[in-house]
Amino acid sequence: MTFIPLLADIVPDAPKQSPAALAMFLAFVAATLMITWWSARKSSGASAYFAAGRRITGWQNGLAVAGDYMSAASFLGIAGMIATSGYDGFMYSVGFLVAYLTVLLVVAEPLRNLGKYTMADVLAYRLKERPVRAMASLSTLLVSIFYMIAQMVGAGVLVKELLPGIGFNTAVIGVGALMIVYVVFGGMLATTWVQIIKAILLMSGSLFLSVLVMKEFGFSFAKFFESISNISVNKDGVESTVNFLTPGMKFTDPLDQISLGLALVLGTAGLPHILIRFYTVPDAKTARVSVIWAMIIIGLFYIMTTFFGFGAAALLDGDLVRSNPNMSAPLLAKVLAGDLFFAFISAVAFATILAVVAGLTISASTSFAHDFFTNVIHHGKEHRPGEEVKVARITAFVVGAASIAIAILLGPKTNVAYLVGLAFAVAASANLPVILMSVFWKRFTTAGAVWGLGVGLVASILFILIGPNVMGENAIFPLQNPGIASIPLGLLAAWLGSLASPHEHGSEAKFAEMKVRAHTGHGAEQAEPH
Amino acid sequence: MSDKDNEAIDDAEIDRQAEVWEKIIHRPEFEALLAAKKRFIVPACLFFLVYYFALIVIVGWFPDLAKKQIGPANIAYWFALSQFFMAWIVAWVYTRAAARFDRLADDLLGEHANPDTDKK
């Protein structure tokens, strides 16, 4: 298997390695590979491979949604952002949870009732299959790949720091190879369990870390807040006291905040790798229950960022934190509970990365196989039984290999954080408007969907390219987050595209049928029998 | 390439099926279900969006208000923290309302065990 030679090259050149950290990494890898082996034996057929047989329970899917969503960027990244920028970092925590109300109230249930494996299924219900699937698949692939590159580069940097002795390239190849193994052999069932285990590990690690922080303050919230309101900061040799709860340490333009807020609140409900999770449960009711579970877990996690984020600001040396913000959570663990806990938090971070990249890979490969290969190229018919799954496995391998290559080409120095913002912006500007219109608007047409997806996609990418993330000081578009401009453009294009095209007979005739199915679950895809 | 396969389906057949479904959506039970959902979901969405963006507006444009201390922390922090509870409460209220929608939908399907004959 691919990862065995890797282990061989990890062990000898790792003299400074903490054996505990390595042991925990390996335990996690071994456990997830066992799950993959078990899933591979268990599952056969398309619904098993793409949707885990639709037999995942509500709480399991809730954990898996949380596991798919809480990336290393949110664990290590937000902890680091709060540790350096205080309150402004915490604003991300808020948006990440509130976003799930859109998923719960508007998207999850109709999606489960109308679709089979992908987001595009919902669009194809009333509209002409081939053009909308081709566009939706393109959007899915782009969102997944942007997000994945950000995760892979982040993973390489992190593993290098968490396990000294392992180089950037080795780390990227290792993470990539593992995610390929999970997805190619274990499909959605293995991916789901990797995410569940990761969510449990992440929650227990964060809880323990939070308790340790509060122990330092004698479990007194008054003392804790007192301390984080008066943190002494040494800037250019001048000692001063800063209140880390005061907004404005990082964000200076409130408009940029609104723009980010829009992308988070509307984008989460358009992220393909989150949406396809709702096909793994038996029905819309269970999909709803799973969003509730996800919201409990995600909410508790982001509330805990208060303790380990601000806690790191109060308890760790400021220069140390600023020199490498992403390491503040693991460093806090080391300072408060020693090497063993540092190793555990490192293993948690590693699990976090793997679960997210596996989720992204399966979402990209499912969309390519189901939307593009079967429906666009082969007009909805499999030429040979099992072909769709086979194509998905090959795609997963190609997507995995390509993202390894891109991450290595970019190297550890590239700033890729804005790619996550780009993924959210595309999801909010291209995907969500057309999903909503196809469910709620009778007059919606194929041309509207194609225009909406196209304009949303192009506008998001363009505003990032001409914005401060890429052009720095000379930016033409003033905001870091394109949402406030690209979302209205996507909506407008979908709306005008529909009105400018003639009434679409099929779309309007199927509206009543879709309405009944979306709201009652009649005729929805069933779970596989035991 | 065009969508010949899709268009090949007889328009008359589509219309015939559409008529069956049109009848169902005009049944009072279905209209009641949709009205009930709309009555809950539209205000709930407006509420959470206003509540969430109010935080950004206050933090961004009213810094003096945001910095005001209440107990151990400032308004900005308490308001941000309250967002988590707001989200959970809206979710909880929705699950209760959704149980009612489920009953309405089950009644409708029960009376009308098999509205379609076509199967995908």
PDB file of all heavy atoms in Angstrom, chain A residues 18 43 132 238 327 444 446 449 490:
ATOM      1  N   SER A  18       8.639  13.400  18.975  1.00  0.00           N
ATOM      2  CA  SER A  18       8.048  12.924  20.219  1.00  0.00           C
ATOM      3  C   SER A  18       7.425  11.570  19.934  1.00  0.00           C
ATOM      4  O   SER A  18       6.563  11.457  19.068  1.00  0.00           O
ATOM      5  CB  SER A  18       7.006  13.932  20.705  1.00  0.00           C
ATOM      6  OG  SER A  18       5.861  13.261  21.141  1.00  0.00           O
ATOM      7  N   SER A  43     -19.595  -2.570   1.645  1.00  0.00           N
ATOM      8  CA  SER A  43     -20.423  -1.832   0.710  1.00  0.00           C
ATOM      9  C   SER A  43     -20.230  -2.295  -0.713  1.00  0.00           C
ATOM     10  O   SER A  43     -19.130  -2.581  -1.158  1.00  0.00           O
ATOM     11  CB  SER A  43     -20.107  -0.342   0.813  1.00  0.00           C
ATOM     12  OG  SER A  43     -18.798  -0.106   0.384  1.00  0.00           O
ATOM     13  N   VAL A 132     -27.390  22.049 -16.842  1.00  0.00           N
ATOM     14  CA  VAL A 132     -27.282  22.422 -15.430  1.00  0.00           C
ATOM     15  C   VAL A 132     -26.322  21.505 -14.684  1.00  0.00           C
ATOM     16  O   VAL A 132     -25.582  21.954 -13.811  1.00  0.00           O
ATOM     17  CB  VAL A 132     -28.637  22.486 -14.683  1.00  0.00           C
ATOM     18  CG1 VAL A 132     -29.516  23.578 -15.230  1.00  0.00           C
ATOM     19  CG2 VAL A 132     -29.345  21.167 -14.629  1.00  0.00           C
ATOM     20  N   VAL A 238       7.717  48.864  23.548  1.00  0.00           N
ATOM     21  CA  VAL A 238       6.854  49.643  24.444  1.00  0.00           C
ATOM     22  C   VAL A 238       5.810  48.715  25.060  1.00  0.00           C
ATOM     23  O   VAL A 238       5.057  48.047  24.352  1.00  0.00           O
ATOM     24  CB  VAL A 238       6.137  50.786  23.673  1.00  0.00           C
ATOM     25  CG1 VAL A 238       5.321  51.643  24.646  1.00  0.00           C
ATOM     26  CG2 VAL A 238       7.157  51.611  22.921  1.00  0.00           C
ATOM     27  N   MET A 327       0.089  27.648  15.828  1.00  0.00           N
ATOM     28  CA  MET A 327       0.547  26.682  16.816  1.00  0.00           C
ATOM     29  C   MET A 327       0.061  27.019  18.215  1.00  0.00           C
ATOM     30  O   MET A 327       0.428  26.350  19.180  1.00  0.00           O
ATOM     31  CB  MET A 327       2.079  26.602  16.794  1.00  0.00           C
ATOM     32  CG  MET A 327       2.643  25.924  15.565  1.00  0.00           C
ATOM     33  SD  MET A 327       2.098  24.209  15.460  1.00  0.00           S
ATOM     34  CE  MET A 327       3.124  23.490  16.756  1.00  0.00           C
ATOM     35  N   PHE A 444     -38.366  29.739 -13.001  1.00  0.00           N
ATOM     36  CA  PHE A 444     -36.928  29.492 -13.166  1.00  0.00           C
ATOM     37  C   PHE A 444     -36.663  28.624 -14.401  1.00  0.00           C
ATOM     38  O   PHE A 444     -37.416  27.689 -14.675  1.00  0.00           O
ATOM     39  CB  PHE A 444     -36.416  28.782 -11.916  1.00  0.00           C
ATOM     40  CG  PHE A 444     -34.924  28.767 -11.764  1.00  0.00           C
ATOM     41  CD1 PHE A 444     -34.169  29.898 -12.012  1.00  0.00           C
ATOM     42  CD2 PHE A 444     -34.268  27.617 -11.338  1.00  0.00           C
ATOM     43  CE1 PHE A 444     -32.791  29.888 -11.851  1.00  0.00           C
ATOM     44  CE2 PHE A 444     -32.900  27.604 -11.166  1.00  0.00           C
ATOM     45  CZ  PHE A 444     -32.166  28.739 -11.429  1.00  0.00           C
ATOM     46  N   THR A 446     -33.622  26.803 -17.304  1.00  0.00           N
ATOM     47  CA  THR A 446     -32.278  26.260 -17.458  1.00  0.00           C
ATOM     48  C   THR A 446     -31.273  27.380 -17.719  1.00  0.00           C
ATOM     49  O   THR A 446     -30.185  27.391 -17.143  1.00  0.00           O
ATOM     50  CB  THR A 446     -32.262  25.259 -18.630  1.00  0.00           C
ATOM     51  OG1 THR A 446     -33.237  24.263 -18.361  1.00  0.00           O
ATOM     52  CG2 THR A 446     -30.910  24.616 -18.785  1.00  0.00           C
ATOM     53  N   ALA A 449     -30.393  29.089 -14.558  1.00  0.00           N
ATOM     54  CA  ALA A 449     -29.477  28.315 -13.715  1.00  0.00           C
ATOM     55  C   ALA A 449     -28.049  28.415 -14.241  1.00  0.00           C
ATOM     56  O   ALA A 449     -27.096  28.613 -13.478  1.00  0.00           O
ATOM     57  CB  ALA A 449     -29.922  26.857 -13.659  1.00  0.00           C
ATOM     58  N   GLY A 490     -24.730  37.020  -8.696  1.00  0.00           N
ATOM     59  CA  GLY A 490     -25.173  35.651  -8.964  1.00  0.00           C
ATOM     60  C   GLY A 490     -26.693  35.563  -8.982  1.00  0.00           C
ATOM     61  O   GLY A 490     -27.300  34.963  -9.878  1.00  0.00           O
TER      62      GLY A 490
END
